[in-house]
Amino acid sequence: MSSEDTNTINKEKLDVYLKELAKEYRRMGGKAMPAELILIGGAAIIVNYGFREMTTDIDAIIHAASTMKDAIHHVSDKMNLPNRWLNADFMHTLSYSPKLEQYSVYYKNFYGVLDVRTIAAEYLIAMKLCSGRRYKNDLSDIIGILAEHEKHGAPISMKQIDTAVRNLYGNWDKIPLVSISFIDDTMLTDDFAKAYAKVKSEEKRAKDILLDFEQAYPGTANMQSIESILDNLKKKQKKREEILRELKTGKQDD
């Protein structure tokens, strides 16, 4: 089994890990103080939708007794998972809002001590727009969510997305311009499948370029240089070597 196989989490594995976590938390005394997890990002995608099958870790808002940390570490050791397989790191990112809990929806309860919730669709889209990382799954996830809701006869409107953005962040000021342009274009498309394939291809290419650069020049890339280069990448096709040189030197085309 490859490292990719062991380090990725699909819906089936996620439920197994959460069940084991609840079991361990209960053993440590969690029955006296039930816990709550609110799944965010990739974990919320894989439990609610079929277009993305896996994630590499579980981002969550965690409400629990201090023994939850020990329970998480125990599951990590028992199931051969990375130490931070379940974490709340995203709470330090721009896409976090304390209002997320208000717009969470029930998923499952495990062993009577662990309630698990996820984020409602339009609020996931709002978070993905705020992150707007073109080298991750943010933009393709947005299209995937829109596509599945349309397929099931419950399309998500721009009004719903606008409401979600305003409820979480107050206004659109935190949303990058590239994300605003993206959602405007996406809501006009008549072929989500084609749009999804195109964005996934762009995300993969961007990720490959950034991985190459990080390997060649460890620790020198920053968010500003990454976004600037990806802007150029979208405008015209360039050879990978040329893009890597631009990332290294910071030079941009006029």
Side-chain angles (χ1 to χ4, degrees), residues 39-83:
L39 302 179
I40 306 294
I45 295 293
I46 65 174
V47 301
N48 289 301
Y49 302 101
F51 63 87
R52 180 144 74 99
E53 296 181 350
M54 59 188 63
T55 185
T56 55
D57 62 358
I58 301 171
D59 295 315
I61 298 171
I62 304 173
H63 295 302
S66 59
T67 53
M68 177 59 78
K69 290 183 179 180
D70 294 329
I72 291 171
H73 290 151
H74 177 87
V75 174
S76 172
D77 293 338
K78 182 176 181 179
M79 309 300 289
N80 194 29
L81 293 167
N83 288 333

